Amino acid sequence: MHSMLKASIAALATTAVLAGGAPAEGHGEKLSGDLKIFLDTSNPAPRATMEDMIARFSEMHPDLTIETTVIDREAYKTQIRNFLTANSPDVATWYAANRMTPYVSAGLFEDVSDLWMEEDIATNLASTKGAMTIDGKQWGVPYTYYQWGIYYREDIFNELGLEEPTTWEQEKANCQVILDSGRKCYTIGSKFLWTAGGWFDYLNMRTNGFDFHMELARGEVPWTDDRVRATFANWRELIDMGAFIDNHQSYSWQEALPFMVRGEATAYLMGNFSVAQFREAGLTDDQLDFYQFPAITEGLELAENAPTDTFHIPANATNKDNARAFLRFVVSADNQTLINNGENLGQLPVNASSSVDDDEFLNQGFEMLSSNSPGGVAQFFDRDFPAEMAAEAMQGLQEFMVFPDNLDDILNRLESVRQRVY
Amino acid sequence: MTVATVPDMNPPRRKSFYKRNEIALTPWLFLAPGILFFAVYVIIPIFQSFNLSLYAWDGLGEARYIGLANYQELMTDRAFEVSLWNNVKWLAFYLLAIPAGLFIALFLNQTVVGIRLYKSLFFFPFVISQVVVGLVFAWFYNPSFGLLNTALGWVGLGPINVLGDPTMVTYGIIAAGLWPQTAYCMILYLTGLNAVDPEQIEAGRLDGAKGFRMLWHIILPQLKPATFICFVVTIIGALRSFDLISIMTNGGPFGSSRVLSFYMFEKALSEYGFRMGYGAAIAVVLFLIMLIFIAYFLWSMFREERGH
């Protein structure tokens, strides 16, 4: 996966340069019959984007009867288990990597490796192929992804004379200056746990590298390993400095935003979806900027989190040919350019021939993922680790952030969970 | 006898089966729909849960029989232990709603202008949804803008983060739950006080009973039915405490405010759960705890009926 990703990112970089006139998808044949689509894009903007995309597909195939059902994003996570087994749609949204595993191993997702053999997809979607692969087969196609990194208050950095750090030493030195100015370095809301998972992802990938992180995710390394402890030791440096806002265990990630908007904290390790919230809260692009999580262990290849949202064909679907045509349409360069632009999802297109919308943060994210993430691209803590391990571990991570002295106890507990889960 | 060959024009009409057993059957016919649904939705699922707790099942694949392994795991599961203790705390402290409700009811049981308005204001928290109660209290406790810390600041006490502190969080949630539960007990006692016999009070007064002695010896014995109902609804409320926890802390911080019902939900049905067998094992334990109280309630009601 490692070398494949490198190659694919190189390919992505070159094709992005040539992306001027990507050939439109050749949908010569008109489809007929039915197509039943289940979506979890229940938030207003993604919902409108998806509905518009389906309408365009429907225009291309006037004889096709498309039935779309949008299910609340959270409810979808439990309902998918029901509708995949009985009364399947033809297309359903989900997430990449380990989140697919339960459905792949239960035989509920259709193997779509044939799509991935097609020239268009094979060359243009190579960067996400690893995330869609289980047991050497591909089980769906991605439709969008987004970068993670440190979003910070540019104006406060300027005021304090700070620069974007690239090493751990600089990061800590910056943080000390920020603390001395009476602010906190990082805001975080860990009530729903996953935000702490993001910190662990980055600290572990920077301390021990992408490959080690994935070994840990696959359960091949004990949690009590010294390398894991090294990651926590780095984390503890920040905690002991008082770098994180107080009482973060009581806030959701949205409730932690005001600390940064009010300038009480200067940075937030988050996904790109936070940009919309920052802008809505009144921060301008002059006040807000982005940098890649700095290197910790020297010489280690940088790796990034880029969670990918996906489309799948349930194994029990009735109109699989129509579904395949729809998947081809979703990942086509033009459609990818359109649905990921700033007016729609505001994220990164998965097709290397698509163009990225001209947005400060999308450009930086695209740049970072295509040229400065040689180590690999991870999905996210709760998508790379099996669900049960992730649930226990994220609780432990939150506990560590509040009571760092409990580390031994936490690691022993996680180790016993690891031995049961894998 | 030729008569015998002539068919009897008026045979003694054999009554139908139903007619013959009308008295015995009718109650069962009326009960049938209730019994049917009670069996399908309550009784059978209880046994299904017992059965499921012996399996390892993710809700999708094949269920694998593992005997009592789920229960063995429960014995060493610290999160389960924490949840169990929290359940005990809920049962103990939630009962404070009964004396508090009685106190408010006695206080409001007087004739003043606008008493109906005051009564409705006190009853108000019981009418609003538990979700709203949870949100209101979560804001009240909020460490950055919550009213609690502002109030503590006035008397010079340091800021506390009730919902973020594993030692305080359960008490914080119980306090939120007491708000509507006290109102519920209050309304039960208010109706009970209406039925208190004025002649007995008069007699007590002639004998010189006043204040606490009047309350203890004359009023409270007459409020016994109300107290019983308060006890029942409060115990049930404590064991059902799910929505407040879900809204206020989501079980956190790091699982220290979970109770059994929430832990069961997390293990079996939440985003990262789907250990159906393990969830069922937790449900069985919760059921056994409830069974103690249910048995007690049934027994006291049975005794009550026999007494009359």
Side-chain angles (χ1 to χ4, degrees), chain B residues 170-199:
Chain B
T170 298
Y171 301 108
I173 304 175
I174 295 174
L178 281 176
W179 190 40
Q181 192 63 27
T182 302
Y184 194 12
C185 291
M186 176 204 80
I187 210 80
L188 290 170
Y189 274 123
L190 273 177
T191 35
L193 284 170
N194 278 338
V196 167
D197 186 358
E199 283 180 18

PDB file of all heavy atoms in Angstrom, chain B residues 170-199:
ATOM      1  N   THR B 170     -22.131  11.876  38.200  1.00  0.00           N
ATOM      2  CA  THR B 170     -23.396  11.164  38.413  1.00  0.00           C
ATOM      3  C   THR B 170     -24.315  11.952  39.340  1.00  0.00           C
ATOM      4  O   THR B 170     -25.519  12.065  39.096  1.00  0.00           O
ATOM      5  CB  THR B 170     -23.125   9.763  38.971  1.00  0.00           C
ATOM      6  OG1 THR B 170     -22.369   9.056  37.991  1.00  0.00           O
ATOM      7  CG2 THR B 170     -24.406   9.002  39.222  1.00  0.00           C
ATOM      8  N   TYR B 171     -23.735  12.543  40.401  1.00  0.00           N
ATOM      9  CA  TYR B 171     -24.565  13.333  41.318  1.00  0.00           C
ATOM     10  C   TYR B 171     -25.149  14.545  40.579  1.00  0.00           C
ATOM     11  O   TYR B 171     -26.290  14.943  40.824  1.00  0.00           O
ATOM     12  CB  TYR B 171     -23.741  13.770  42.523  1.00  0.00           C
ATOM     13  CG  TYR B 171     -23.179  12.596  43.291  1.00  0.00           C
ATOM     14  CD1 TYR B 171     -21.825  12.298  43.245  1.00  0.00           C
ATOM     15  CD2 TYR B 171     -24.019  11.771  44.022  1.00  0.00           C
ATOM     16  CE1 TYR B 171     -21.313  11.196  43.923  1.00  0.00           C
ATOM     17  CE2 TYR B 171     -23.527  10.675  44.712  1.00  0.00           C
ATOM     18  CZ  TYR B 171     -22.162  10.387  44.651  1.00  0.00           C
ATOM     19  OH  TYR B 171     -21.673   9.296  45.312  1.00  0.00           O
ATOM     20  N   GLY B 172     -24.341  15.114  39.697  1.00  0.00           N
ATOM     21  CA  GLY B 172     -24.826  16.257  38.922  1.00  0.00           C
ATOM     22  C   GLY B 172     -26.035  15.892  38.079  1.00  0.00           C
ATOM     23  O   GLY B 172     -27.014  16.647  38.000  1.00  0.00           O
ATOM     24  N   ILE B 173     -25.978  14.724  37.469  1.00  0.00           N
ATOM     25  CA  ILE B 173     -27.100  14.308  36.619  1.00  0.00           C
ATOM     26  C   ILE B 173     -28.314  13.946  37.479  1.00  0.00           C
ATOM     27  O   ILE B 173     -29.451  14.270  37.137  1.00  0.00           O
ATOM     28  CB  ILE B 173     -26.701  13.123  35.713  1.00  0.00           C
ATOM     29  CG1 ILE B 173     -25.483  13.495  34.880  1.00  0.00           C
ATOM     30  CG2 ILE B 173     -27.844  12.739  34.797  1.00  0.00           C
ATOM     31  CD1 ILE B 173     -24.944  12.366  34.048  1.00  0.00           C
ATOM     32  N   ILE B 174     -28.048  13.293  38.637  1.00  0.00           N
ATOM     33  CA  ILE B 174     -29.172  12.948  39.512  1.00  0.00           C
ATOM     34  C   ILE B 174     -29.883  14.227  39.965  1.00  0.00           C
ATOM     35  O   ILE B 174     -31.115  14.295  39.998  1.00  0.00           O
ATOM     36  CB  ILE B 174     -28.690  12.136  40.730  1.00  0.00           C
ATOM     37  CG1 ILE B 174     -28.134  10.783  40.273  1.00  0.00           C
ATOM     38  CG2 ILE B 174     -29.832  11.910  41.721  1.00  0.00           C
ATOM     39  CD1 ILE B 174     -27.494   9.969  41.365  1.00  0.00           C
ATOM     40  N   ALA B 175     -29.105  15.267  40.276  1.00  0.00           N
ATOM     41  CA  ALA B 175     -29.710  16.529  40.696  1.00  0.00           C
ATOM     42  C   ALA B 175     -30.630  17.064  39.602  1.00  0.00           C
ATOM     43  O   ALA B 175     -31.732  17.546  39.884  1.00  0.00           O
ATOM     44  CB  ALA B 175     -28.612  17.540  41.022  1.00  0.00           C
ATOM     45  N   ALA B 176     -30.170  16.940  38.358  1.00  0.00           N
ATOM     46  CA  ALA B 176     -31.027  17.382  37.253  1.00  0.00           C
ATOM     47  C   ALA B 176     -32.291  16.546  37.196  1.00  0.00           C
ATOM     48  O   ALA B 176     -33.392  17.062  36.977  1.00  0.00           O
ATOM     49  CB  ALA B 176     -30.258  17.277  35.934  1.00  0.00           C
ATOM     50  N   GLY B 177     -32.153  15.227  37.431  1.00  0.00           N
ATOM     51  CA  GLY B 177     -33.313  14.350  37.380  1.00  0.00           C
ATOM     52  C   GLY B 177     -34.290  14.615  38.517  1.00  0.00           C
ATOM     53  O   GLY B 177     -35.500  14.409  38.379  1.00  0.00           O
ATOM     54  N   LEU B 178     -33.756  15.072  39.665  1.00  0.00           N
ATOM     55  CA  LEU B 178     -34.622  15.329  40.820  1.00  0.00           C
ATOM     56  C   LEU B 178     -35.594  16.473  40.560  1.00  0.00           C
ATOM     57  O   LEU B 178     -36.677  16.518  41.136  1.00  0.00           O
ATOM     58  CB  LEU B 178     -33.769  15.657  42.055  1.00  0.00           C
ATOM     59  CG  LEU B 178     -33.146  14.461  42.757  1.00  0.00           C
ATOM     60  CD1 LEU B 178     -32.247  14.928  43.893  1.00  0.00           C
ATOM     61  CD2 LEU B 178     -34.227  13.548  43.314  1.00  0.00           C
ATOM     62  N   TRP B 179     -35.203  17.383  39.701  1.00  0.00           N
ATOM     63  CA  TRP B 179     -36.038  18.557  39.447  1.00  0.00           C
ATOM     64  C   TRP B 179     -37.440  18.152  38.972  1.00  0.00           C
ATOM     65  O   TRP B 179     -38.437  18.468  39.627  1.00  0.00           O
ATOM     66  CB  TRP B 179     -35.301  19.476  38.465  1.00  0.00           C
ATOM     67  CG  TRP B 179     -35.902  20.830  38.284  1.00  0.00           C
ATOM     68  CD1 TRP B 179     -36.439  21.624  39.244  1.00  0.00           C
ATOM     69  CD2 TRP B 179     -36.026  21.532  37.055  1.00  0.00           C
ATOM     70  NE1 TRP B 179     -36.872  22.799  38.694  1.00  0.00           N
ATOM     71  CE2 TRP B 179     -36.632  22.769  37.343  1.00  0.00           C
ATOM     72  CE3 TRP B 179     -35.679  21.253  35.735  1.00  0.00           C
ATOM     73  CZ2 TRP B 179     -36.904  23.709  36.361  1.00  0.00           C
ATOM     74  CZ3 TRP B 179     -35.941  22.198  34.762  1.00  0.00           C
ATOM     75  CH2 TRP B 179     -36.553  23.416  35.077  1.00  0.00           C
ATOM     76  N   PRO B 180     -37.538  17.410  37.847  1.00  0.00           N
ATOM     77  CA  PRO B 180     -38.896  16.977  37.449  1.00  0.00           C
ATOM     78  C   PRO B 180     -39.485  15.926  38.375  1.00  0.00           C
ATOM     79  O   PRO B 180     -40.702  15.901  38.590  1.00  0.00           O
ATOM     80  CB  PRO B 180     -38.688  16.407  36.045  1.00  0.00           C
ATOM     81  CG  PRO B 180     -37.245  16.123  35.924  1.00  0.00           C
ATOM     82  CD  PRO B 180     -36.525  17.059  36.834  1.00  0.00           C
ATOM     83  N   GLN B 181     -38.641  15.061  38.951  1.00  0.00           N
ATOM     84  CA  GLN B 181     -39.183  13.978  39.769  1.00  0.00           C
ATOM     85  C   GLN B 181     -39.822  14.528  41.051  1.00  0.00           C
ATOM     86  O   GLN B 181     -40.851  14.030  41.496  1.00  0.00           O
ATOM     87  CB  GLN B 181     -38.073  12.974  40.096  1.00  0.00           C
ATOM     88  CG  GLN B 181     -38.568  11.667  40.691  1.00  0.00           C
ATOM     89  CD  GLN B 181     -39.460  10.888  39.731  1.00  0.00           C
ATOM     90  OE1 GLN B 181     -39.334  11.023  38.516  1.00  0.00           O
ATOM     91  NE2 GLN B 181     -40.365  10.104  40.264  1.00  0.00           N
ATOM     92  N   THR B 182     -39.220  15.577  41.622  1.00  0.00           N
ATOM     93  CA  THR B 182     -39.802  16.212  42.805  1.00  0.00           C
ATOM     94  C   THR B 182     -41.185  16.772  42.478  1.00  0.00           C
ATOM     95  O   THR B 182     -42.129  16.640  43.262  1.00  0.00           O
ATOM     96  CB  THR B 182     -38.880  17.350  43.289  1.00  0.00           C
ATOM     97  OG1 THR B 182     -37.605  16.789  43.553  1.00  0.00           O
ATOM     98  CG2 THR B 182     -39.421  18.002  44.537  1.00  0.00           C
ATOM     99  N   ALA B 183     -41.277  17.373  41.298  1.00  0.00           N
ATOM    100  CA  ALA B 183     -42.566  17.922  40.889  1.00  0.00           C
ATOM    101  C   ALA B 183     -43.616  16.830  40.787  1.00  0.00           C
ATOM    102  O   ALA B 183     -44.782  17.021  41.171  1.00  0.00           O
ATOM    103  CB  ALA B 183     -42.411  18.630  39.553  1.00  0.00           C
ATOM    104  N   TYR B 184     -43.173  15.665  40.297  1.00  0.00           N
ATOM    105  CA  TYR B 184     -44.105  14.545  40.148  1.00  0.00           C
ATOM    106  C   TYR B 184     -44.605  14.094  41.523  1.00  0.00           C
ATOM    107  O   TYR B 184     -45.814  13.939  41.746  1.00  0.00           O
ATOM    108  CB  TYR B 184     -43.378  13.410  39.419  1.00  0.00           C
ATOM    109  CG  TYR B 184     -44.255  12.308  38.893  1.00  0.00           C
ATOM    110  CD1 TYR B 184     -45.640  12.442  38.834  1.00  0.00           C
ATOM    111  CD2 TYR B 184     -43.687  11.131  38.416  1.00  0.00           C
ATOM    112  CE1 TYR B 184     -46.425  11.427  38.331  1.00  0.00           C
ATOM    113  CE2 TYR B 184     -44.462  10.118  37.919  1.00  0.00           C
ATOM    114  CZ  TYR B 184     -45.826  10.262  37.880  1.00  0.00           C
ATOM    115  OH  TYR B 184     -46.593   9.250  37.391  1.00  0.00           O
ATOM    116  N   CYS B 185     -43.677  13.909  42.451  1.00  0.00           N
ATOM    117  CA  CYS B 185     -44.054  13.486  43.796  1.00  0.00           C
ATOM    118  C   CYS B 185     -44.940  14.550  44.451  1.00  0.00           C
ATOM    119  O   CYS B 185     -45.885  14.225  45.172  1.00  0.00           O
ATOM    120  CB  CYS B 185     -42.812  13.249  44.650  1.00  0.00           C
ATOM    121  SG  CYS B 185     -41.888  11.809  44.124  1.00  0.00           S
ATOM    122  N   MET B 186     -44.624  15.816  44.185  1.00  0.00           N
ATOM    123  CA  MET B 186     -45.411  16.902  44.766  1.00  0.00           C
ATOM    124  C   MET B 186     -46.880  16.803  44.349  1.00  0.00           C
ATOM    125  O   MET B 186     -47.780  16.899  45.181  1.00  0.00           O
ATOM    126  CB  MET B 186     -44.826  18.240  44.316  1.00  0.00           C
ATOM    127  CG  MET B 186     -45.614  19.445  44.775  1.00  0.00           C
ATOM    128  SD  MET B 186     -45.319  20.840  43.694  1.00  0.00           S
ATOM    129  CE  MET B 186     -46.399  20.462  42.322  1.00  0.00           C
ATOM    130  N   ILE B 187     -47.097  16.557  43.055  1.00  0.00           N
ATOM    131  CA  ILE B 187     -48.479  16.528  42.581  1.00  0.00           C
ATOM    132  C   ILE B 187     -49.203  15.317  43.172  1.00  0.00           C
ATOM    133  O   ILE B 187     -50.386  15.392  43.515  1.00  0.00           O
ATOM    134  CB  ILE B 187     -48.533  16.548  41.032  1.00  0.00           C
ATOM    135  CG1 ILE B 187     -49.796  17.236  40.556  1.00  0.00           C
ATOM    136  CG2 ILE B 187     -48.460  15.172  40.423  1.00  0.00           C
ATOM    137  CD1 ILE B 187     -49.713  18.722  40.580  1.00  0.00           C
ATOM    138  N   LEU B 188     -48.475  14.195  43.345  1.00  0.00           N
ATOM    139  CA  LEU B 188     -49.107  13.026  43.950  1.00  0.00           C
ATOM    140  C   LEU B 188     -49.493  13.315  45.403  1.00  0.00           C
ATOM    141  O   LEU B 188     -50.582  12.946  45.853  1.00  0.00           O
ATOM    142  CB  LEU B 188     -48.157  11.823  43.889  1.00  0.00           C
ATOM    143  CG  LEU B 188     -47.929  11.251  42.489  1.00  0.00           C
ATOM    144  CD1 LEU B 188     -46.804  10.238  42.510  1.00  0.00           C
ATOM    145  CD2 LEU B 188     -49.207  10.607  41.966  1.00  0.00           C
ATOM    146  N   TYR B 189     -48.611  13.989  46.129  1.00  0.00           N
ATOM    147  CA  TYR B 189     -48.906  14.321  47.516  1.00  0.00           C
ATOM    148  C   TYR B 189     -50.022  15.364  47.620  1.00  0.00           C
ATOM    149  O   TYR B 189     -50.830  15.332  48.548  1.00  0.00           O
ATOM    150  CB  TYR B 189     -47.647  14.822  48.224  1.00  0.00           C
ATOM    151  CG  TYR B 189     -46.824  13.698  48.777  1.00  0.00           C
ATOM    152  CD1 TYR B 189     -45.501  13.540  48.406  1.00  0.00           C
ATOM    153  CD2 TYR B 189     -47.367  12.800  49.687  1.00  0.00           C
ATOM    154  CE1 TYR B 189     -44.733  12.504  48.910  1.00  0.00           C
ATOM    155  CE2 TYR B 189     -46.610  11.760  50.194  1.00  0.00           C
ATOM    156  CZ  TYR B 189     -45.293  11.612  49.808  1.00  0.00           C
ATOM    157  OH  TYR B 189     -44.558  10.588  50.314  1.00  0.00           O
ATOM    158  N   LEU B 190     -50.052  16.304  46.678  1.00  0.00           N
ATOM    159  CA  LEU B 190     -51.109  17.322  46.728  1.00  0.00           C
ATOM    160  C   LEU B 190     -52.487  16.681  46.607  1.00  0.00           C
ATOM    161  O   LEU B 190     -53.416  17.030  47.346  1.00  0.00           O
ATOM    162  CB  LEU B 190     -50.906  18.338  45.601  1.00  0.00           C
ATOM    163  CG  LEU B 190     -49.986  19.523  45.917  1.00  0.00           C
ATOM    164  CD1 LEU B 190     -49.822  20.397  44.704  1.00  0.00           C
ATOM    165  CD2 LEU B 190     -50.525  20.326  47.089  1.00  0.00           C
ATOM    166  N   THR B 191     -52.614  15.733  45.695  1.00  0.00           N
ATOM    167  CA  THR B 191     -53.897  15.036  45.577  1.00  0.00           C
ATOM    168  C   THR B 191     -54.169  14.230  46.833  1.00  0.00           C
ATOM    169  O   THR B 191     -55.305  14.159  47.307  1.00  0.00           O
ATOM    170  CB  THR B 191     -53.927  14.105  44.351  1.00  0.00           C
ATOM    171  OG1 THR B 191     -52.629  13.562  44.174  1.00  0.00           O
ATOM    172  CG2 THR B 191     -54.353  14.818  43.109  1.00  0.00           C
ATOM    173  N   GLY B 192     -53.095  13.627  47.387  1.00  0.00           N
ATOM    174  CA  GLY B 192     -53.264  12.870  48.615  1.00  0.00           C
ATOM    175  C   GLY B 192     -53.742  13.756  49.759  1.00  0.00           C
ATOM    176  O   GLY B 192     -54.613  13.368  50.533  1.00  0.00           O
ATOM    177  N   LEU B 193     -53.199  14.944  49.842  1.00  0.00           N
ATOM    178  CA  LEU B 193     -53.565  15.861  50.933  1.00  0.00           C
ATOM    179  C   LEU B 193     -55.032  16.272  50.851  1.00  0.00           C
ATOM    180  O   LEU B 193     -55.661  16.550  51.860  1.00  0.00           O
ATOM    181  CB  LEU B 193     -52.662  17.097  50.891  1.00  0.00           C
ATOM    182  CG  LEU B 193     -51.247  16.892  51.424  1.00  0.00           C
ATOM    183  CD1 LEU B 193     -50.374  18.092  51.128  1.00  0.00           C
ATOM    184  CD2 LEU B 193     -51.283  16.612  52.920  1.00  0.00           C
ATOM    185  N   ASN B 194     -55.565  16.312  49.621  1.00  0.00           N
ATOM    186  CA  ASN B 194     -56.987  16.630  49.469  1.00  0.00           C
ATOM    187  C   ASN B 194     -57.871  15.613  50.169  1.00  0.00           C
ATOM    188  O   ASN B 194     -58.971  15.941  50.590  1.00  0.00           O
ATOM    189  CB  ASN B 194     -57.360  16.667  47.977  1.00  0.00           C
ATOM    190  CG  ASN B 194     -57.002  17.988  47.372  1.00  0.00           C
ATOM    191  OD1 ASN B 194     -56.877  18.976  48.091  1.00  0.00           O
ATOM    192  ND2 ASN B 194     -56.832  18.016  46.067  1.00  0.00           N
ATOM    193  N   ALA B 195     -57.354  14.365  50.232  1.00  0.00           N
ATOM    194  CA  ALA B 195     -58.177  13.287  50.777  1.00  0.00           C
ATOM    195  C   ALA B 195     -57.972  13.097  52.270  1.00  0.00           C
ATOM    196  O   ALA B 195     -58.559  12.211  52.866  1.00  0.00           O
ATOM    197  CB  ALA B 195     -57.871  11.984  50.033  1.00  0.00           C
ATOM    198  N   VAL B 196     -57.113  13.924  52.868  1.00  0.00           N
ATOM    199  CA  VAL B 196     -56.883  13.781  54.309  1.00  0.00           C
ATOM    200  C   VAL B 196     -58.157  14.181  55.048  1.00  0.00           C
ATOM    201  O   VAL B 196     -58.781  15.202  54.751  1.00  0.00           O
ATOM    202  CB  VAL B 196     -55.693  14.652  54.743  1.00  0.00           C
ATOM    203  CG1 VAL B 196     -55.642  14.762  56.262  1.00  0.00           C
ATOM    204  CG2 VAL B 196     -54.397  14.047  54.232  1.00  0.00           C
ATOM    205  N   ASP B 197     -58.533  13.339  56.014  1.00  0.00           N
ATOM    206  CA  ASP B 197     -59.794  13.532  56.724  1.00  0.00           C
ATOM    207  C   ASP B 197     -59.694  14.707  57.704  1.00  0.00           C
ATOM    208  O   ASP B 197     -58.914  14.656  58.664  1.00  0.00           O
ATOM    209  CB  ASP B 197     -60.101  12.219  57.480  1.00  0.00           C
ATOM    210  CG  ASP B 197     -61.471  12.275  58.137  1.00  0.00           C
ATOM    211  OD1 ASP B 197     -62.123  13.335  58.024  1.00  0.00           O
ATOM    212  OD2 ASP B 197     -61.855  11.263  58.733  1.00  0.00           O
ATOM    213  N   PRO B 198     -60.459  15.788  57.511  1.00  0.00           N
ATOM    214  CA  PRO B 198     -60.346  16.953  58.398  1.00  0.00           C
ATOM    215  C   PRO B 198     -60.758  16.635  59.828  1.00  0.00           C
ATOM    216  O   PRO B 198     -60.249  17.252  60.760  1.00  0.00           O
ATOM    217  CB  PRO B 198     -61.282  17.982  57.756  1.00  0.00           C
ATOM    218  CG  PRO B 198     -62.066  17.276  56.728  1.00  0.00           C
ATOM    219  CD  PRO B 198     -61.413  15.978  56.430  1.00  0.00           C
ATOM    220  N   GLU B 199     -61.652  15.640  59.983  1.00  0.00           N
ATOM    221  CA  GLU B 199     -62.094  15.305  61.340  1.00  0.00           C
ATOM    222  C   GLU B 199     -60.956  14.747  62.180  1.00  0.00           C
ATOM    223  O   GLU B 199     -60.823  15.036  63.367  1.00  0.00           O
ATOM    224  CB  GLU B 199     -63.235  14.300  61.289  1.00  0.00           C
ATOM    225  CG  GLU B 199     -64.549  14.955  60.919  1.00  0.00           C
ATOM    226  CD  GLU B 199     -65.695  13.946  60.873  1.00  0.00           C
ATOM    227  OE1 GLU B 199     -65.536  12.848  61.446  1.00  0.00           O
ATOM    228  OE2 GLU B 199     -66.717  14.263  60.241  1.00  0.00           O
TER     229      GLU B 199
END
